[in-house]
Amino acid sequence: MTISVNVKQLGKKRNKINEMPFFLENKPHTLRELITESVRTCVIAYNGRLNAEAAPLSQDDITAMSELGKIAFGMSEGAPADIAKAVDDAILAFEDGLFRVFLGEDELTELDGSIELNENSSVTFIRLVMLAGRMW
């Protein structure tokens, strides 16, 4: 199943939100399943990039990376991510209020509440940033 995930792209010249296609192997029926499938897809892609050989950058790659503010070859060395640990961390982060999930314009708040996700549904994950400062 393919859904559309809203991704904010940062750049010096423009900040915009694009819908990107995102493939889920299994159709989720709850928010917990949506988070699980999304994390699983991302971890598999991350682990695949760790094992991939660095290829020369095309001009399109260089242009896209320069808009983000960093041009880099491949990934730095790291350990493969564990899917189960990543899913547990994502569920805990949601329960702690570190990110919110929207299906279309409706916020999803219950992990085990039923959701109606169709092909090309628009999903938005918003990471909340905690600000630190002094109060005195």
Side-chain angles (χ1 to χ4, degrees):
M1 152 173 248
T2 302
I3 60 173
S4 295
V5 175
N6 294 313
V7 177
K8 181 172 183 174
Q9 294 186 345
L10 299 175
K12 292 181 180 179
K13 295 183 180 177
R14 61 182 96 112
N15 292 331
K16 60 182 178 178
I17 297 176
N18 293 329
E19 283 193 354
M20 305 289 283
F22 192 81
F23 177 76
L24 300 175
E25 189 171 322
N26 303 308
K27 181 179 180 180
H29 300 286
T30 65
L31 176 56
R32 184 181 304 273
E33 291 174 4
L34 175 62
I35 293 171
T36 300
E37 283 298 312
S38 299
V39 168
R40 191 170 102 46
T41 299
C42 290
V43 168
I44 290 170
Y46 170 81
N47 288 342
R49 287 191 309 267
L50 278 177
N51 299 327
E53 292 183 21
L57 295 176
S58 69
Q59 187 59 43
D60 292 338
D61 293 336
I62 292 171
T63 302
M65 287 184 197
S66 67
E67 287 182 8
L68 296 174
K70 180 180 179 183
I71 299 174
F73 292 97
M75 296 178 59
S76 61
E77 294 183 26
D82 177 35
I83 292 175
K85 173 96 170 79
V87 168
D88 290 343
D89 290 347
I91 297 294
L92 180 61
F94 180 81
E95 291 174 337
D96 289 345
L98 297 179
F99 70 94
R100 303 234 173 128
V101 182
F102 291 83
L103 177 58
E105 294 184 10
D106 300 324
E107 183 177 3
L108 304 176
T109 57
E110 296 181 27
L111 277 172
D112 296 313
S114 178
I115 61 172
E116 186 61 38
L117 199 63
N118 301 314
E119 195 75 23
N120 294 322
S121 290
S122 178
V123 176
T124 305
F125 293 90
I126 299 178
R127 181 180 57 175
L128 303 174
V129 178
M130 304 301 169
L131 301 176
R134 295 172 60 171
M135 296 190 60
W136 55 89

